Amino acid sequence: MNDRQFEEILKLAGGKENIRQVTREEQATVLILENNSKVDMSASAATDLEVTIRITGAECRLVIKDESSSYYRLLRDMGTPESMRDHPERKEEHTYRKSFSILEFISDVFRPIMPAILGAAVFKIVLAVITLISTYGFSEPSSFLQSQTFMILKSIGDSAFYLLPVLAAISTARQLKSNIYVAAAIGGLMFYPQMSYLLSGQEEVHFMGMPMVSEAAFFSAPLWMILTISAASYVEKAVERFSPKMLQGILAPALTFGILVPLILLVLGPLGSWIDKRMPAAVDSLLTDAPVVAAMLLGAAFALMLFAGLHYWLVPLMLNELMTNGFSVIIPAMFVAFTAQAGAALAAGLRSRQTEFRKLAFWATGTALLGVPEPAIYAVNMRRRASFYAALIGGAIGGLYFGIVSVKSFALSESAGLLQIPAFMEDGTLNMIHTCAGLVLAFFVSGALTYWLTDRSMKNKHV
């Protein structure tokens, strides 16, 4: 959203003083106006806003498409009334108000980042196609894959994902109207050379006597970054409220850097160390004693692990599988989880009436199928609980099938997508057929569940 659009909303409504009430209805912000005659219809044609005007008797409502709630927050913060207390004769009317949803808030955080993520994803997919053609289309891999030019191009494609913690921190701060520069500094902490060196695994690291896990990416996972910046926003607003004028804008960042960030590290450091000691052993034990259950759980939970930064602990297990057995069963579970997210995203797009959301959902479906699931997970499926839960169920069903028929991957790739299908080929077995069957199963189960659950949610006004 930009200032011009916000000014056009006020102009359309006949000015701030003509707005009696602001409410939320599903994916829109609704303005209830005092005087219908003050509505400026020319403003609607002068902007790209999607606005519906509803007139019932003497009441006029402007329904503005606002999936990210940005218009609603600005109108609320500028002092527009949210209740009917000034009009007691209307107290009997009830307007549906949407309750706070953590999944929707996370989606709001990631939506502004999506152009960068989707652009980088398409770029990475093009490079992956080039790699696939060069690897399987010639007797020897092309020298281009070993060139510095290819390395630079690959770095360009990876940059948005590498800087995702900083982007998520900035976007969270914007959502909460806190200092985006303080947030960016916190998001970039793990990129600082000395921190990167300390957490490189070369030596044990302790902070104030507490152990720090040697996994810098864990500290920068989207979940922890959003929670950290949310806490920083709370500290900033609380401190600014009581700070003397000479210290406003200085004391809050100082306390955030000096107290809050160390406190977060004191919590995440031991948590990461505990996970480091227990999770690999637990997953390895499941793979040995109950491989079917392990495949089902990984298929369901991989998206959550990605969000919390827990998937990094699976990489050594994948390498160990390939070195010891010559194949991996974790990679197929990751593949089926991404495919389930794609199915849910496609169904969510088909169900939506919002043009921009549909476009995002369809693009996210394609990138998830090709191994880049972040747009589908964060910007589409987390937007609606129905599609998010359906994706987890679809991943579990696909993982269960993979576990029962023992689907294997025979190569480690950067991501699990359709371009990596050749890694599932095995002479004399049905491994490839079972792989395709499991992926189709996960895709259609998550898609069908999303389509059905979204329909029920829309009827009950819980979407």
Side-chain angles (χ1 to χ4, degrees):
M1 187 195 67
N2 53 50
D3 292 338
R4 183 185 67 83
Q5 289 176 319
F6 188 65
E7 290 172 1
E8 293 295 343
I9 289 175
L10 295 180
K11 183 179 179 182
L12 176 63
K16 173 187 172 183
E17 64 281 355
N18 196 41
I19 301 174
R20 174 160 54 84
Q21 183 182 2
V22 182
T23 63
R24 286 287 294 165
E25 289 185 3
E26 297 187 358
Q27 305 297 310
T29 290
V30 180
L31 309 184
I32 301 177
L33 306 182
E34 291 280 2
N35 190 339
N36 301 355
S37 63
K38 292 185 178 181
V39 176
D40 186 350
M41 300 299 296
S42 64
S44 179
T47 184
D48 55 359
L49 295 169
E50 294 187 28
V51 182
T52 302
I53 301 177
R54 300 175 185 168
I55 299 178
T56 306
E59 183 176 86
C60 180
R61 293 175 176 237
L62 301 184
V63 183
I64 307 168
K65 175 187 171 185
D66 186 17
E67 291 185 351
S68 64
S69 305
S70 54
Y71 299 142
Y72 173 74
R73 282 190 293 271
L74 280 176
L75 289 164
R76 178 194 62 194
D77 292 344
M78 68 183 286
T80 304
E82 295 179 70
S83 67
M84 304 290 281
R85 58 183 179 272
D86 295 331
H87 297 264
E89 68 275 9
R90 299 183 181 269
K91 284 184 179 179
E92 296 300 318
E93 297 182 9
H94 298 281
T95 303
Y96 171 71
R97 294 281 303 278
K98 198 173 184 182
S99 59
F100 175 78
S101 167
I102 183 64
L103 292 179
E104 186 172 329
F105 174 74
I106 293 167
S107 181
D108 285 343
V109 167
F110 280 96
R111 290 291 288 278
I113 306 172
M114 281 303 110
I117 298 299
L118 282 172
V122 172
F123 193 82
K124 282 168 64 70
I125 289 167
V126 170
L127 294 179
V129 171
I130 294 173
T131 302
L132 187 67
I133 294 173
S134 299
T135 302
Y136 294 97
F138 303 96
S139 57
E140 294 183 3
S142 169
S143 59
F144 175 68
L145 299 183
Q146 310 298 326
S147 69
Q148 294 178 341
T149 299
F150 184 79
M151 292 177 63
I152 293 173
L153 292 174
K154 191 171 179 299
S155 299
I156 294 172
D158 290 336
S159 61
F161 296 91
Y162 182 73
L163 294 174
L164 186 59
V166 178
L167 299 178
I170 292 172
S171 186
T172 303
R174 287 191 63 184
Q175 289 293 324
L176 298 173
K177 299 189 180 303
S178 59
N179 193 310
I180 62 173
Y181 304 105
V182 173
I186 296 172
L189 174 63
M190 294 302 157
F191 300 127
Y192 186 68
Q194 197 163 346
M195 284 295 293
S196 299
Y197 172 76
L198 285 173
L199 298 178
S200 63
Q202 298 183 26
E203 58 184 73
E204 289 188 4
V205 181
H206 291 79
F207 178 63
M208 296 185 182
M210 302 297 290
M212 295 274 289
V213 65
S214 297
E215 190 67 73
F218 168 72
F219 294 96
S220 299
L223 173 62
W224 315 125
M225 192 53 58
I226 291 172
L227 290 176
T228 299
I229 303 305
S230 297
S233 173
Y234 177 81
V235 169
E236 177 185 332
K237 292 175 182 177
V239 172
E240 288 293 325
R241 190 177 297 116
F242 301 104
S243 296
K245 288 186 177 181
M246 289 194 63
L247 292 177
Q248 286 184 352
I250 300 173
L251 184 59
L255 291 177
T256 299
F257 288 134
I259 297 177
L260 178 64
V261 175
L263 183 62
I264 294 294
L265 293 178
L266 286 173
V267 173
L268 292 183
L271 176 62
S273 297
W274 184 86
I275 294 171
D276 187 42
K277 292 177 181 177
R278 288 166 176 77
M279 196 186 85
V283 173
D284 190 52
S285 177
L286 265 180
L287 290 172
T288 303
D289 301 330
V292 176
V293 175
M296 181 182 70
L297 292 178
L298 287 173
F302 196 87
L304 299 175
M305 297 176 72
L306 185 69
F307 182 51
L310 304 181
H311 62 296
Y312 294 106
W313 276 278
L314 296 180
V315 176
L317 294 178
M318 295 178 197
L319 292 172
N320 183 64
E321 282 185 309
L322 291 170
M323 294 176 62
T324 304
N325 305 322
F327 61 83
S328 170
V329 297
I330 297 178
I331 296 174
M334 178 171 62
F335 195 178
V336 82
F338 292 177
T339 304
Q341 294 290 335
L346 177 61
L350 293 173
R351 268 297 188 191
S352 177
R353 300 187 186 96
Q354 306 288 343
T355 304
E356 287 300 316
F357 182 82
R358 287 169 65 89
K359 180 175 71 174
L360 173 61
F362 295 153
W363 274 101
T365 299
T367 60
L369 287 174
L370 294 171
V372 186
E374 284 86 353
I377 297 171
Y378 302 140
V380 178
N381 294 333
M382 279 190 174
R383 188 76 190 168
R384 293 173 170 84
R385 286 174 293 180
S387 57
F388 184 71
Y389 297 146
L392 301 185
I393 294 171
I397 298 297
L400 177 62
Y401 179 83
F402 274 11
I404 292 173
V405 298
S406 301
V407 169
K408 309 175 184 68
S409 173
F410 298 94
L412 181 66
S413 56
E414 290 188 7
S415 61
L418 295 179
L419 295 177
Q420 280 69 45
I421 278 286
F424 292 81
M425 295 176 63
E426 184 182 23
D427 293 336
T429 70
L430 299 176
N431 192 68
M432 175 65 79
I433 294 176
H434 285 311
T435 299
C436 295
L439 296 177
V440 170
L441 179 64
F443 186 86
F444 280 101
V445 166
S446 62
L449 274 175
T450 298
Y451 205 82
W452 177 65
L453 291 173
T454 301
D455 181 51
R456 289 175 58 87
S457 298
M458 290 171 66
K459 289 179 180 178
N460 295 319
K461 292 188 177 181
H462 288 316
V463 179

